[in-house]
Amino acid sequence: MKKEILTLLTALFVLTGCSGKNEISQMLQPDVIYEKALVHTREAQIIRSFETKASISATLLNEVFPQRYSYEKGVFFFVGVITDMKAEEFKKRYHITLNGDEPVNIEPVTRNDDLYILMPSVTRWGKYWIVTFPPQKAKKFVIDFGIDPYGSVELAFQRPMPRR
């Protein structure tokens, strides 16, 4: 059995070779993206009277897809919310800021979007958005997400230091 697995792995390495992109490396890519996204995801719950009123998750897209979401253009988050609040009521009652700044754009993400499929913490019960904030000089980012009258939570992120 071990010999068969070794033979299979050897064949896999021969097939993939040193080429840039091929079918096998493309099949493995979603796992790399998911892992990178997981590292840059923060989650919290808004709790009131010992009851979870909302679950919030945010992924720093600038670190997951640096070519698509550059810091020069802004700070981009994939934000997900699970709450029992009706959609129309939720739209009136939530607020989100990054280091005190309001978002410049909030774009809904549908189930057909790449990000919906690739991001961690996605469930069929959640609502998801790409939230864009203005460019930030700060190395630390704090999202303040709240729902009136339940309260708010803070999600802290840090821009990685460049390696030498």
Side-chain angles (χ1 to χ4, degrees):
M1 182 72 170
K2 289 182 182 180
K3 187 176 179 182
E4 293 165 347
I5 292 173
L6 185 58
T7 304
L8 181 62
L9 288 174
T10 304
L12 180 66
F13 286 122
V14 169
L15 287 174
T16 58
C18 295
S19 64
K21 286 192 174 185
N22 58 42
E23 289 182 41
I24 294 174
S25 66
Q26 288 175 353
M27 288 185 331
L28 298 176
Q29 190 65 21
D31 289 339
V32 172
I33 292 170
Y34 182 87
E35 180 181 316
K36 201 172 184 183
L38 197 57
V39 168
H40 298 287
T41 297
R42 305 291 181 268
E43 298 177 332
Q45 289 77 38
I46 297 176
I47 299 173
R48 185 167 184 192
S49 301
F50 302 109
E51 185 178 330
T52 300
K53 296 297 184 178
S55 290
I56 316 300
S57 68
T59 303
L60 180 57
L61 294 174
N62 298 71
E63 295 298 327
V64 181
F65 301 104
Q67 286 79 27
R68 190 191 303 180
Y69 302 105
S70 73
Y71 282 112
E72 290 80 35
K73 294 179 183 175
V75 183
F76 300 84
F77 289 92
F78 177 81
V79 176
V81 179
I82 300 172
T83 184
D84 61 355
M85 191 176 280
K86 293 187 181 350
E88 291 305 314
E89 185 178 353
F90 174 75
K91 287 179 185 177
K92 295 175 191 174
R93 296 181 174 263
Y94 86 98
H95 72 272
I96 184 170
T97 60
L98 179 69
N99 294 348
D101 292 337
E102 298 285 327
V104 293
N105 190 35
I106 299 176
E107 181 182 328
V109 175
T110 66
R111 290 184 178 174
N112 298 329
D113 269 318
D114 295 351
L115 289 177
Y116 184 89
I117 296 164
L118 294 172
M119 292 295 104
S121 305
V122 173
T123 69
R124 64 181 181 179
W125 301 285
K127 301 289 184 227
Y128 302 93
W129 300 271
I130 296 175
V131 181
T132 307
F133 293 96
Q136 302 275 320
K137 297 275 187 211
K139 300 292 182 206
K140 294 183 180 181
F141 306 127
V142 177
I143 290 179
D144 180 33
F145 188 96
I147 302 174
D148 185 42
Y150 300 143
S152 63
V153 293
E154 290 185 347
L155 303 168
F157 296 84
Q158 185 163 342
R159 188 185 303 191
M161 300 302 289
R163 294 186 180 198
R164 295 181 189 181

